[in-house]
Amino acid sequence: MNVAEAKRMNVAHHFDDWEQQYESCVLGMWVFIVTEVMFFGGVFAIYMVYRVNYPDAFAQASRQLDETLGTFNTFALLSSSLTMALAVRAAHLGRSRQAGLLIVLTMILGTLFLGVKFYEYHHKYEQGLMPLLGLPLNFNGPAEELGPTRLFYGLYFVMTGIHAVHMILGIAILALFISPALRGRYDGGNFLSVEIVGLYWHFVDLVWIFLFPLLYLVDRSH
Amino acid sequence: MTTAQPTLRTYIVVYLLLLLGLAVTVGVAFVPLGRMNLAVALAIAFAKATLVVLFFMHVLYSPRLTWIAVFAGLVWLAILLSLVGVDYATRGWIPVAPAPTDMREPPADTPSGVRSQKTLTFHLAPIPDS
Amino acid sequence: MSTVAEPKPISAALPEGQPRNYLNTSYTVKSWLFTVDHKRIAILYLLGVTLFFFLGGAAAVLFRLELMTPQADLVESETYNKLFTLHGIIMIFFFLVPSIPAVLGNFLLPLMIGARDLAFPRLNLLSWYLFMIGGVFTLYVTVAGGVDTGWTFYTPYSSTYSNTYVMATAVGIFITGFSSILTGLNFIVTTHKMRAPGLTWFRLPLFVWAHYATSLIFVLGTPVLAITLLLVALERGLGIGIFDPKLGGDPILFQHLFWFYSHPAVYIMVLPAMGVQSEIIAAFSRNRIFGYRFVAYASLAIAVLGFLVWGHHMFVSGQSLYAGMIFSILSLLIAIPSAIKVFNWTATLHRGSITFQTPMLYALGFIGLFTVGGLTGLFLSAMGIDVHVHDTYFVVAHFHYIMVGSAVMAYLGGIHYWWPKMTGRMYPEGWGRFSAVLVFVGFNLTFFPQFILGYLGMPRRYHVYDDGFQVLNVMSSAGASILGIAYLFPFTYLLWSLKYGKRASANPWNAVGLEWTTPSPPPKHNFAQTPIVTWEAYEYPCSNPDEVPSVDNE
């Protein structure tokens, strides 16, 4: 199957040709990513306001997060971005099996990230630092910092939680690629869908690149 | 048509730079720099993000429309953050008269007119002191 | 961008007898519920928005009845709160936001650009399903007991204290929001990538420009509403205190995030209406739109500036005065592109060959009512006046002049204008004109007194009021009943026309536009061959009113 034929076979009926389909789908994914930027942007705005208003409470609460796990998670996610980029590269080069294996690797790293995340959540629950659903907050700082500390934890769980949901969805979608990839679907230049999902995965990584210092590293110098 | 691609070497170099950025971010966090801590952390995060966007997401090799979409996202996020920030940053710059504690009676210096002659027939609770 | 230089045949020649079109290719329910044809999806949306329009209207009937008397005699206060809340939520999220873009935009955008469909047809179907699922949540809330926070969901009432169905409502709007986002995404990509050969940006109909600008707002603003409502739902459901003042949270932060979307949302509601306006005014004065580029740029300007003005909803909420001044100036500026459009439509009429069919009646009404609504918006942008009339009926009248007097009228005008294209039938012109006039009269009787009421000090969202306000309230309620009945007329005769209306030709209005070069109703794939566009957008001959513009489809 040569490149031209493969491309011709995968053009949807309403597109004139493969170029139009490719450019439309890539643009469509970028527009979707812009919507996600604004979606996360809302919580970042809230975070910004509260951090500026309650610097001490946020600093103290941030110190109670485990920065080693956070660093490891960032490393895992950055690595998964590399494997994803290499998977897209493999698909471009028509190496379908290689793309499939790299996608599996990406999923493993993503799952590792999620595993660590849920361990962290569980640990916070055990420490009494999960003020959700009426659970108590284990707090022994100054009284005026109690409320803002709860705000910090609310933001922590919401921001990392929504991020985690995006990762779960990403991993689930990547799973759909394994079987076709290993069976040679992406030989011969049929790389569009891999590239699209790659863009999504990188975006999820981008969000974490900002979440990590803003949540874990507010003030580690004391 | 195949879009231009970063080479394998480019991907590896970018990855190593990202890891370097991670190391620096974590390292600098333990150094007391006061307000500069936030600035440095955000600067490194932006740098890492730029690398991911340009190379992993191929924007450097993408058509102009993609660049426009990326900039639009950044600009709109900036609009949200800055105009919300302007409110919080400038509260208290211009003094505002406090709200009267009992809204049923107009303030003493209100000129008499239609408003002050009609009293509303239902009770409004006074606004509590903040 | 496609590099094809010559037309491509798409479908075989149409069969003899009743031509195959998108409506009669298949009559099964499954073919409708699993369609990816943008035209069928538009009809599905038409059914949905019509249902919600009458539901939201029913809520209005009830509270306008209550407001005939100063006392609370029809409904008690909690019920009243639920009525205006549901009216707002249903009308805004389930009627006004989707109406023109999802019905007319979906139907016409591919036709107007010479494409076979939108860029992502299956995503389009998903949009409809998301819209309906969100609507089901709202129906559930209506039946289960309602929500009473006002459509604005201000915290901490919505996040902590209200004991009505806030979470279900928030989830429903969240889901429907994604319908909007995906539609906007679809329109943006379609407009960039799927225009016919020769159709440059500045040859596009202004309807397309308007929908492109609207889609920018869909994509950039709606996600912020999504996260805000999600946070309110999480605050209620998980006890996360984000906006809780007891924890140091700031309720005004909610308002910032809410209005960051909800102000551009009003431009989502009015920009498509302006797009319809341009088409109708040009067609029924047989003139090209005066200042085409200015109108196109003004659409983009409104979309962009619309994101910079949201604080004018918060002048008296506790926002800093300094920020208030910035928002005030920006709000005054945004009147300029809107005014440019009004001037240009008026100039289009000048020395035109004007006829007064139903769509034109709605369009002419739009010009006047939008001017009133827009000017009163300027009053509200000035902080000094806003302090006096904020949260009074002045604001209510202002936005209804835009939302109903402009957006709904344009929607009705557009439905009538493109009805022959969509259904292959003409509506009865006499009834159409009569209804348009009745709508205009009923509308003004309903809402003009509300300007006066607001200025005199009657607060909004109150079910009891001072005796002195009764006369104006009775006028307003009388107008509302006329308006409500007036809306039933098009509903009835448009349905009637489906069976008994005169069959329509491809171009009953002799209008210029690619959509008029296909049969009425269009075949499933829109065009027999991809058109090649060599003409400007509104090639109406100014000096020869009877000449049909040449839009060959060789």
Side-chain angles (χ1 to χ4, degrees), chain A residues 66-182:
Chain A
D66 188 335
E67 80 277 14
T68 314
L69 290 179
T71 307
F72 173 77
N73 259 356
T74 312
F75 165 74
L77 209 47
L78 289 174
S79 306
S80 79
S81 246
L82 174 67
T83 56
M84 187 71 235
L86 292 177
V88 173
R89 174 176 172 271
H92 269 265
L93 294 172
R95 300 177 193 162
S96 189
R97 273 192 61 95
Q98 187 185 59
L101 292 171
L102 284 161
I103 285 175
V104 170
L105 207 47
T106 308
M107 288 174 63
I108 291 174
L109 288 165
T111 311
L112 197 55
F113 175 97
L114 285 174
V116 169
K117 198 91 220 92
F118 289 124
Y119 167 76
E120 280 185 273
Y121 282 176
H122 182 73
H123 190 54
K124 285 281 158 291
Y125 168 71
E126 284 180 335
Q127 285 177 303
L129 291 174
M130 185 187 257
L132 314 174
L133 293 165
L135 292 167
L137 180 65
N138 193 354
F139 179 79
N140 36 26
E144 73 271 9
E145 280 183 22
L146 171 58
T149 303
R150 293 189 59 155
L151 288 176
F152 177 86
Y153 279 110
L155 282 171
Y156 168 76
F157 284 107
V158 164
M159 292 169 96
T160 58
I162 296 177
H163 178 261
V165 166
H166 280 81
M167 284 218 47
I168 294 171
L169 285 171
I171 293 173
I173 294 173
L174 280 176
L176 301 172
F177 282 77
I178 304 176
S179 178
L182 294 176

Side-chain angles (χ1 to χ4, degrees), chain C residues 114-154:
Chain C
R116 286 186 284 294
D117 208 309
L118 291 176
F120 307 115
R122 287 174 299 182
L123 216 59
N124 200 13
L125 183 66
L126 177 64
S127 283
W128 181 76
Y129 274 106
L130 290 174
F131 170 73
M132 293 306 282
I133 292 171
V136 163
F137 271 84
T138 305
L139 290 172
Y140 160 70
V141 166
T142 308
V143 170
V147 58
D148 66 351
T149 58
W151 82 275
T152 47
F153 293 105
Y154 276 12

Side-chain angles (χ1 to χ4, degrees), chain B residues 1-127:
Chain B
M1 177 195 93
T2 312
T3 53
Q5 288 283 294
T7 61
L8 179 60
R9 213 180 74 112
T10 310
Y11 281 134
I12 304 290
V13 166
V14 167
Y15 174 64
L16 291 173
L17 285 173
L18 289 171
L19 292 186
L20 179 64
L22 174 60
V24 172
T25 305
V26 177
V28 167
F30 289 92
V31 176
L33 295 172
R35 297 234 295 241
M36 287 304 291
N37 272 114
L38 177 62
V40 169
L42 281 178
I44 299 178
F46 266 106
K48 286 160 73 179
T50 307
L51 286 172
V52 170
V53 166
L54 287 179
F55 294 101
F56 284 177
M57 297 172 91
H58 302 169
V59 169
L60 192 62
Y61 309 87
S62 291
R64 198 177 60 152
L65 191 51
T66 310
W67 286 82
I68 295 175
V70 172
F71 274 112
L74 291 175
V75 166
W76 254 257
L77 181 58
I79 292 173
L80 173 63
L81 294 177
S82 54
L83 283 177
V84 170
V86 160
D87 175 23
Y88 288 93
T90 61
R91 287 204 189 162
W93 278 26
I94 299 174
V96 185
T101 50
D102 183 355
M103 289 289 280
R104 284 211 296 170
E105 299 300 325
D109 54 356
T110 306
S112 66
V114 173
R115 244 340 221 326
S116 59
Q117 279 157 13
K118 285 187 185 307
T119 52
L120 300 171
T121 54
F122 45 91
H123 176 75
L124 285 171
I127 293 182

